Amino acid sequence: MSVNEKEIVASTWKRSLQAPDSLPDSADVVIIGGGIVGVSTAWFLAKQGVDVVLCEKGHIAGEQSGRNWGWVRIQGRDTREIPMMQESLRIWEGLQEEIGEDVGFTRGGCLFTANSDKELSALADWLEIAADYGIDSRMLDATELVEQVQAAGARWKGALYTQSDGRAEPHKAAPAIARAAMQAGATVLTACAVRGVETSAGKLSAVVTEHGVIRTSTVLCAAGAWTSMFCRALGIDVPQLRVRGTVARTAPAASVMNGNMFDEKLGIRRRQDGGYTLAHGSVLEHPVTPSSFRYFRKFLPALMQELKIVKLDFGREFAKEWSTPKNWRLDAPSPFEETRVLNPEPTPSVLKGIRENVDMLFPALRDTPIVESWAGMIESSPDVVPVIDAVERLPGFHIATGFSGHGFGIGPGAGKAIAGLITGTHTGIDLSALRLSRFFDGTPIRPQSSI
């Protein structure tokens, strides 16, 4: 196996940086962040004829948008996300034909397995929500589940199953959408960190990048795990914490399932190349930082929900955030240039657990090697659904962040909705429940789903 074949996923962020040769003087809209939400928004804006410039400090999909599990699911979603996710599935279905590039999307179904009658009953509660939204979810008993998954090492009671759910390849999708945005007229700049913004008469007037100034009246900050820090420098409080996820992929292997499956021991999906993408089913790693204490009360409901699986990491991340300045000069290198790509190492103990769990559940895969592993930082909001909003205190500034591990699948739908928010175009997707002020106006913080 060649080096390139060993780094199919990592090639998204390990390639050489490509800085822009020149910078546009102005734009109708500037987007900060080249993840799937940023590039999807750029694509939809460009199709409307909007002059949009996207600035990414590193690579397109270099962080979580290129490192996630690749699930495109509606099953188990928070009800506040469902209309956007339904639209996203429609977009994914026709995406390859519209942009002329393979993104690896296919339907294959999504399974949440149950190991007890209690778990089975809890999963069945979703069926009422599914019926309200016309989603094709149903319960499978143990016999029906065996027809979907050949796992000799499991004794499941059954599963929740949504046949219409799908999957795609993260290392392909966001870069392909970025190219489609460029073909539609957008300007996409990599190795181009935005250091901050300039205002005039209390309104946005420009963004300041490392390569110069772009005049604009409208900005979208879709900077993933960096959003809270960027916004804090502007005096905008965005509650957000990071969770580290370790992921691996196997070589092509025997078919033991054809879709996505989540169990308390393993998250697994079939890959386009015939292998499997794997993650641990019961480990969430949170690197403790000063933000953990700042936002502790707001995240307490989510923490209590995931108490059994959250692993706190008291390591270098605390000192790194502590030493990062809260404000910085706009005419000198910023923290965003210091760390072009947030690239955490996969956790060895988690990888060991993944290997043990896949071997136990799927004996047919015991001799299948894991050929690549990586980690990513998932940005989470207190109620585990995104913030998509226009910021009142800074007219022209918009935020799209906190997708909490759900951003890849919902990305195209979110891009369409955000483009509509920016241009005032009706999309049929109500974003009011995703407003930033919900964390400060007394609205109860109640997560409906998990990261």
Side-chain angles (χ1 to χ4, degrees):
M1 182 177 290
S2 71
V3 173
N4 286 341
E5 290 173 328
K6 289 181 179 178
E7 296 186 341
I8 289 174
V9 176
S11 64
T12 305
W13 61 86
K14 286 192 173 182
R15 63 170 67 97
S16 298
L17 288 165
Q18 294 184 334
D21 295 326
S22 61
L23 206 67
D25 293 327
S26 64
D28 295 334
V29 179
V30 173
I31 296 173
I32 305 169
I36 194 161
V37 173
V39 299
S40 295
T41 304
W43 181 45
F44 278 101
L45 286 172
K47 290 198 293 180
Q48 293 181 44
V50 176
D51 179 14
V52 56
V53 174
L54 183 147
C55 298
E56 162 57 47
K57 64 182 175 58
H59 304 285
I60 299 300
E63 296 188 0
Q64 190 56 24
S65 288
R67 300 165 186 255
N68 61 82
W69 297 6
W71 291 28
V72 181
R73 67 167 174 90
I74 200 166
Q75 178 172 293
R77 290 271 186 175
D78 188 299
T79 54
R80 291 167 288 183
E81 292 183 312
I82 289 176
M84 191 186 303
M85 188 61 222
Q86 288 178 315
E87 181 61 28
S88 200
L89 273 165
R90 285 191 284 269
I91 296 167
W92 278 109
E93 183 68 46
L95 188 60
Q96 178 172 329
E97 181 177 355
E98 181 167 359
I99 69 176
E101 285 200 50
D102 174 29
V103 296
F105 177 77
T106 185
R107 307 275 186 172
C110 182
L111 290 159
F112 291 173
T113 62
N115 293 277
S116 67
D117 291 332
K118 182 179 179 181
E119 289 180 6
L120 199 63
S121 177
L123 289 174
D125 290 344
W126 163 256
L127 295 181
E128 185 174 343
I129 295 172
D132 288 343
Y133 289 91
I135 300 167
D136 63 333
S137 300
R138 61 190 178 94
M139 299 304 297
L140 303 182
D141 61 25
T143 301
E144 292 173 307
L145 182 53
V146 168
E147 296 174 1
Q148 298 287 336
V149 182
Q150 289 73 56
R155 295 293 181 268
W156 292 310
K157 293 285 187 176
L160 174 65
Y161 179 55
T162 304
Q163 186 174 357
S164 59
D165 276 346
R167 60 192 190 270
E169 297 300 335
H171 70 282
K172 290 184 175 183
I177 296 172
R179 288 187 287 270
M182 294 172 69
Q183 291 173 1
T187 299
V188 176
L189 308 174
T190 58
C192 184
V194 174
R195 294 171 175 172
V197 304
E198 292 181 344
T199 60
S200 177
K203 297 181 179 180
L204 267 171
S205 59
V207 297
V208 180
T209 81
E210 63 182 292
H211 301 298
V213 175
I214 304 174
R215 289 182 287 106
T216 188
S217 61
T218 307
V219 171
L220 170 68
C221 184
W226 299 90
T227 301
S228 185
M229 183 175 74
F230 185 92
C231 290
R232 193 177 181 203
L234 303 179
I236 302 167
D237 191 7
V238 180
Q240 179 176 297
L241 295 178
R242 298 174 178 179
V243 175
R244 181 172 60 242
T246 293
V247 191
R249 71 174 179 90
T250 73
S255 178
V256 297
M257 57 169 293
N258 181 37
N260 314 324
M261 189 202 79
F262 184 80
D263 174 72
E264 65 178 8
K265 295 183 181 299
L266 191 70
I268 180 171
R269 77 159 172 95
R270 187 70 158 165
R271 296 176 55 84
Q272 189 181 36
D273 60 18
Y276 295 90
T277 292
L278 310 171
H280 203 290
S282 57
V283 175
L284 287 176
E285 296 183 283
H286 170 54
V288 176
T289 66
S291 292
S292 305
F293 296 93
R294 183 182 311 118
Y295 297 128
F296 175 77
R297 288 184 179 275
K298 296 186 186 299
F299 275 85
L300 187 57
L303 175 63
M304 297 306 296
Q305 178 177 278
E306 307 291 355
L307 195 59
K308 292 182 179 180
I309 63 175
V310 171
K311 310 298 181 186
L312 301 181
D313 178 10
F314 295 88
R316 294 176 296 175
E317 292 293 326
F318 189 96
K320 184 173 179 59
E321 183 178 307
W322 184 268
S323 64
T324 300
K326 305 301 182 291
N327 300 93
W328 45 86
R329 292 170 49 185
L330 303 187
D331 60 352
S334 69
F336 311 111
E337 291 135 272
E338 179 184 345
T339 305
R340 292 285 181 185
V341 178
L342 193 59
N343 189 29
E345 290 293 323
T347 302
S349 61
V350 177
L351 285 174
K352 182 174 182 290
I354 290 171
R355 179 78 266 181
E356 291 172 350
N357 290 344
V358 74
D359 289 352
M360 179 184 67
L361 290 175
F362 297 101
L365 300 181
R366 282 178 180 163
D367 295 328
T368 303
I370 288 176
V371 293
E372 186 178 10
S373 61
W374 61 91
M377 285 295 190
I378 302 165
E379 92 280 9
S380 180
S381 73
D383 57 4
V384 203
V385 291
V387 172
I388 301 176
D389 203 2
V391 179
E392 290 185 8
R393 67 180 307 275
L394 183 54
F397 190 78
H398 302 74
I399 298 171
T401 193
F403 284 82
S404 306
H406 310 161
F408 180 72
I410 207 171
K416 181 175 182 177
I418 297 163
L421 173 67
I422 289 172
T423 62
T425 304
H426 180 64
T427 62
I429 300 171
D430 183 7
L431 298 175
S432 60
L434 305 180
R435 68 194 186 282
L436 176 61
S437 63
R438 73 185 189 268
F439 299 126
F440 306 100
D441 63 9
T443 300
I445 297 175
R446 293 172 179 162
Q448 294 181 29
S449 60
S450 60
I451 295 173

